[in-house]
C-alpha cells in the first residue's frame, strides 16, 4: 500500500459543469476525511466518514457538494454546477480510527480550476 | 471555537541558519498539536506532534514543545537546509470531538537560500 491516492491530480472545468474526484485511502484505515485548501491558506475541513457512514459535514459543504464512501473503501466527492469560488485543492486523508491523535495520512490532492 | 495562528511568511533564511516559526492556538478543550509540511506540488506530510503539555515533538532536526501556559507550539530547527524549503502548517485536533478533525493555521512559507 503506497498511501492515500487521489485522482485526478488536476481538473480544469467550465463554470456550471459537474466534477467528481476520487480518493483511495490506506486500506486498513476506516476513517476518511475531505479538506479544501485555497491558495495561500491552510486546509479547511469539509466532511469525514467512519467506514461507509458520513458522520459530519462542515457548513462549507454547500448543497452542491456531495460525498460518498459506498463500501467503506474509496470515496468520491462531487461538485455540481461548479462556480469559480470552488477553485481550490481538494485533499483527502485517512486514519486508522480513534487514534487520530497521531495525525492523518494525506493524499497529494486534486487541484480544481473553474474557468 | 478552535483556531490556530501562525506567523506570516515568507521566511527567508540562509543555509545553516536557525529557524523559528511561531504558532499559537485557541482551544476550548485540550488539543493535540501538529506540524505538517507541504512541499511544492505535494500533499501534507506529518512532521511532528505533541499530545499533552510539555511534550516535545521532534523529527528530522525539527522540534516543537507543547506550551499550555502560553498556548504555543513554535517550530524550531538549529540549522536549515535548502531542502527544507516548503510551507509549514501548524494544526490542532480537539480530542473532545469524536471526529478528530484538524484545524489548521494559514501556513508559513520557508525559503532557504544556499
Amino acid at each position: 500500500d503506497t498511501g492515500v491516492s487521489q485522482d485526478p491530480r488536476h481538473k480544469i472545468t467550465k463554470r456550471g459543469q459537474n466534477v467528481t474526484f476520487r480518493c483511495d485511502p490506506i486500506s486498513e484505515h476506516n476513517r476518511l476525511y475531505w479538506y479544501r485548501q485555497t491558495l495561500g491558506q491552510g486546509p479547511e475541513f469539509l466532511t469525514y466518514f467512519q467506514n461507509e457512514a458520513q458522520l459530519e459535514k462542515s457548513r462549507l459543504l454547500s448543497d452542491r457538494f456531495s460525498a460518498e464512501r459506498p463500501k467503506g473503501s474509496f470515496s468520491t466527492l462531487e461538485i455540481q454546477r461548479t462556480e469559480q469560488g470552488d477553485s481550490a485543492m481538494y485533499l483527502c486523508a485517512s486514519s486508522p480510527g480513534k487514534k487520530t491523535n497521531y495525525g492523518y495520512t494525506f493524499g497529494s490532492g486534486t487541484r480544481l480550476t473553474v474557468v | 471555537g478552535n483556531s490556530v495562528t501562525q506567523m506570516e511568511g515568507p521566511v527567508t533564511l540562509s543555509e545553516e541558519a536557525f529557524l523559528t516559526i511561531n504558532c499559537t492556538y485557541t482551544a476550548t478543550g485540550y488539543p493535540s498539536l501538529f506540524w505538517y509540511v507541504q512541499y511544492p506540488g505535494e500533499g501534507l506530510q506529518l512532521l511532528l506532534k505533541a499530545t499533552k503539555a510539555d511534550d516535545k515533538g521532534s523529527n528530522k532536526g525539527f522540534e516543537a514543545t507543547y506550551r499550555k501556559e502560553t498556548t504555543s507550539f513554535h517550530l524550531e530547527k538549529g540549522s536549515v537546509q535548502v531542502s527544507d524549503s516548503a510551507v509549514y502548517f501548524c494544526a490542532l485536533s480537539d480530542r473532545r470531538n469524536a471526529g478528530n478533525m484538524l484545524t489548521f493555521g494559514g501556513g508559513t512559507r520557508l525559503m532557504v537560500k544556499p
Side-chain angles (χ1 to χ4, degrees), chain A:
Chain A
D1 194 354
T2 56
V4 178
S5 299
Q6 292 189 245
D7 183 69
R9 290 293 304 271
H10 304 275
K11 178 70 177 179
I12 300 174
T13 191
K14 293 184 178 179
R15 189 174 52 186
Q17 297 295 303
N18 299 344
V19 294
T20 301
F21 311 139
R22 177 180 169 122
C23 172
D24 287 89
I26 294 173
S27 57
E28 61 266 28
H29 286 183
N30 55 26
R31 286 196 176 182
L32 186 148
Y33 299 81
W34 286 99
Y35 284 77
R36 182 173 70 185
Q37 184 180 18
T38 52
L39 201 60
Q41 302 297 316
E44 296 172 295
F45 169 75
L46 292 178
T47 189
Y48 93 96
F49 293 83
Q50 173 92 20
N51 299 312
E52 66 276 8
Q54 187 174 18
L55 295 185
E56 190 157 342
K57 294 192 288 186
S58 160
R59 278 174 278 185
L60 292 175
L61 212 66
S62 77
D63 292 344
R64 296 184 296 106
F65 288 69
S66 62
E68 294 182 344
R69 194 183 183 196
K71 297 182 180 178
S73 55
F74 73 92
S75 175
T76 57
L77 177 68
E78 181 183 16
I79 309 175
Q80 296 182 326
R81 305 181 303 282
T82 52
E83 302 173 355
Q84 287 189 323
D86 298 331
S87 295
M89 175 79 85
Y90 290 84
L91 295 167
C92 177
S94 69
S95 76
K98 289 184 179 180
K99 290 190 176 181
T100 50
N101 289 343
Y102 303 99
Y104 312 156
T105 302
F106 279 88
S108 297
T110 293
R111 182 170 296 283
L112 173 66
T113 302
V114 181
V115 297

Side-chain angles (χ1 to χ4, degrees), chain B residues 9-14 18-21 37-38 62 75 77 80-88 107-113:
Chain B
V11 174
T12 303
L13 297 173
S14 297
F18 184 85
L19 168 71
T20 300
I21 299 178
V37 59
Q38 187 174 35
F62 291 89
L75 183 68
K77 186 176 186 183
V80 294
Q81 305 300 313
V82 172
S83 57
D84 294 326
S85 298
V87 181
Y88 292 82
T108 303
R109 180 175 299 278
L110 170 65
M111 300 171 61
V112 181
K113 296 184 175 181

Side-chain angles (χ1 to χ4, degrees), chain B residues 17-113:
Chain B
F18 184 85
L19 168 71
T20 300
I21 299 178
N22 290 338
C23 170
T24 56
Y25 67 90
T26 302
T28 51
Y30 189 11
S32 296
L33 301 173
F34 305 87
W35 277 100
Y36 281 83
V37 59
Q38 187 174 35
Y39 298 101
E42 297 185 15
L44 282 77
Q45 300 175 25
L46 178 63
L47 181 60
L48 54 84
K49 66 185 186 298
T51 58
K52 60 183 188 296
D54 300 325
D55 266 3
K56 177 184 282 188
S58 61
N59 186 26
K60 299 180 181 179
F62 291 89
E63 294 182 341
T65 301
Y66 190 142
R67 300 289 188 198
K68 188 179 179 184
E69 64 276 14
T70 54
T71 62
S72 65
F73 192 55
H74 305 321
L75 183 68
E76 297 181 337
K77 186 176 186 183
S79 176
V80 294
Q81 305 300 313
V82 172
S83 57
D84 294 326
S85 298
V87 181
Y88 292 82
F89 293 93
C90 185
L92 69 81
S93 172
D94 185 346
R95 282 174 288 181
R96 298 176 310 160
N97 188 312
N100 290 118
M101 286 78 78
L102 290 170
T103 299
F104 285 89
T108 303
R109 180 175 299 278
L110 170 65
M111 300 171 61
V112 181
K113 296 184 175 181

